[in-house]
Amino acid sequence: MILLLALAPTLLAQQNKVNIAPSDPLTVKRGESAKQVLKAVILDGFHVNSDKPKDDYLIPLKLTWAAGPLEAKAISYPKPEELELNGSHMLVYTGTVPIETEFAVAKDAPKGPNAIIGRLKYQACNSNMCFQPKTLDVKVSVVIE
Amino acid sequence: MHKSLVLAVAFVCLVSCSSKQTVSASGPTPSANRKLAADFSLKDENGATVKLSDYRGKVVLLNFWATWCGPCGLEIPWFIDFEQKYKSQGFAVLGVSMDDDGWPAVKPYVAERKINYRILMGNDSVAQFYGGVDALPMSFVIDKEGKVAATHKGLIGKNEYANEIQCLLGDKPLDSAASTSANAACPAK
């Protein structure tokens, strides 16, 4: 118990500020397109930069997908909030952030269960400090018919 | 055992409830309680090797920051002021960048903001010496003997830094209006 108490501050500092909500499996047809919505859930009290922050030095929220049986054709981010913090106006996300990807399914994609693999990069802050940028691995189950 | 586990979980929850994790010294730590700041050796933007111990005899504001850190950017003009105002009295700001992208990201930022103090490129080893530096900005005010007089995690006010610096330079007693400490006097050296 003493060890747990001693480690608590470190563990909390290393806690992910963003988590990916579980996704329902995606059922798609060969040769067609499909949409998938990934939900990034931001811990209460924190915000992440939007996909297009105002300052070039800020690290944007960015979802990327690995090559596979489904090809990502377009990724749409929601409209950000404008946050005034310490005199600066920023474009950020808080709460749950739905990110939609439109995929094209190859005509010769192998039928059956599969998966699409992605990565979500973010950089989180609260009202007076910022945390190292992080990248989360994303995996969505897919059934190709 | 069960009760102990419940208490431990409750403690963890209590600590996590606060999103503001500022660890701010209420004025400089009394001299007798200060610990030696870990020495390190890092490169500046000209490639010169800089050690913290090179600054023994001076008051140092050691600031861990990054170009992507908004609150860090807010402090920089204050540190520029401090460097200009107090340098001749034996003070220096050392900015340790924690940018993974290195000098290609940092040099343009330093030039744009006309930073007049030394910038060093940090690494995980040095960060570990200073508690891991898991959040930025993270600053340490170091006295002339190389001991940590104050630690600040997150953005604080300019006056708080100014008071600590002036106190350690021996300029004046700590301003009680800017300090939350019950002891408003500048701790004896």
Side-chain angles (χ1 to χ4, degrees):
Chain A
M1 193 198 96
I2 292 169
L3 184 62
L4 180 66
L5 289 173
L7 286 174
T10 306
L11 292 171
L12 288 165
Q14 293 171 352
Q15 178 187 32
N16 277 348
K17 310 298 186 277
V18 176
N19 291 290
I20 306 289
S23 296
D24 290 330
L26 198 59
T27 302
V28 299
K29 288 186 162 66
R30 296 203 290 185
E32 293 189 1
S33 63
K35 284 185 181 176
Q36 196 277 338
V37 177
L38 191 81
K39 290 182 183 174
V41 182
I42 302 164
L43 216 58
D44 201 33
F46 297 90
H47 60 268
V48 301
N49 295 315
S50 73
D51 62 310
K52 291 186 178 69
K54 285 185 178 183
D55 188 322
D56 287 343
Y57 286 102
L58 298 181
I59 293 172
L61 181 68
K62 188 170 182 180
L63 175 62
T64 54
W65 295 100
L70 274 60
E71 184 189 350
K73 302 302 281 182
I75 299 175
S76 302
Y77 298 82
K79 188 178 172 186
E81 309 163 37
E82 181 135 354
L83 179 71
E84 190 189 339
L85 206 52
N86 302 308
S88 296
H89 290 265
M90 305 167 60
L91 295 175
V92 302
Y93 295 123
T94 59
T96 300
V97 185
I99 308 169
E100 184 180 89
T101 306
E102 186 175 341
F103 288 98
V105 186
K107 287 179 185 173
D108 56 353
K111 284 189 177 182
N114 214 307
I116 40 175
I117 307 294
R119 307 191 86 192
L120 181 71
K121 185 172 182 179
Y122 70 90
Q123 188 273 305
C125 301
N126 63 18
S127 57
N128 72 330
M129 66 181 80
C130 290
F131 302 86
Q132 289 283 349
K134 283 207 168 178
T135 301
L136 299 177
D137 290 327
V138 177
K139 186 175 178 180
V140 178
S141 299
V142 176
V143 175
I144 303 174
E145 293 176 343
Chain B
M1 178 65 185
H2 178 68
K3 195 184 264 186
S4 298
L5 187 58
V6 169
L7 283 171
V9 170
F11 173 78
V12 168
C13 289
L14 193 65
V15 175
S16 70
C17 281
S18 170
S19 59
K20 261 200 173 189
Q21 295 177 40
T22 303
V23 173
S24 186
S26 305
T29 302
S31 182
N33 298 342
R34 296 174 195 165
K35 298 207 165 40
L36 204 60
D39 198 10
F40 56 72
S41 183
L42 294 172
K43 300 273 190 196
D44 73 3
E45 61 181 304
N46 298 315
T49 299
V50 177
K51 292 183 183 180
L52 178 64
S53 49
D54 293 341
Y55 289 81
R56 194 62 62 87
K58 294 188 179 186
V59 173
V60 174
L61 173 53
L62 179 65
N63 169 242
F64 288 85
W65 69 288
T67 59
W68 45 258
C69 165
C72 303
L74 292 173
E75 293 185 322
I76 284 172
W78 308 343
F79 297 163
I80 290 171
D81 278 350
F82 295 154
E83 178 79 4
Q84 195 169 354
K85 187 172 178 181
Y86 300 117
K87 185 174 181 174
S88 60
Q89 298 176 50
F91 169 79
V93 181
L94 289 178
V96 179
S97 165
M98 299 304 291
D99 281 86
D100 285 343
D101 292 341
W103 290 116
V106 173
K107 277 188 178 178
Y109 186 101
V110 170
E112 281 168 26
R113 282 157 178 76
K114 298 181 172 54
I115 294 177
N116 61 352
Y117 51 86
R118 217 155 186 186
I119 299 292
L120 310 176
M121 190 53 63
N123 56 45
D124 287 343
S125 296
V126 174
Q128 284 308 316
F129 289 154
Y130 287 86
V133 189
D134 54 291
L136 298 174
M138 183 89 182
S139 296
F140 301 84
V141 185
I142 299 167
D143 70 17
K144 294 177 185 177
E145 292 171 359
K147 295 180 180 175
V148 178
T151 299
H152 300 290
K153 184 174 183 177
L155 184 68
I156 62 166
K158 183 180 182 182
N159 282 347
E160 194 164 346
Y161 280 121
N163 276 293
E164 288 168 356
I165 293 165
Q166 287 164 10
C167 177
L168 294 174
L169 286 172
D171 270 7
K172 65 169 194 178
L174 192 66
D175 180 351
S176 59
S179 170
T180 56
S181 173
N183 176 13
C186 190
K189 291 179 188 161

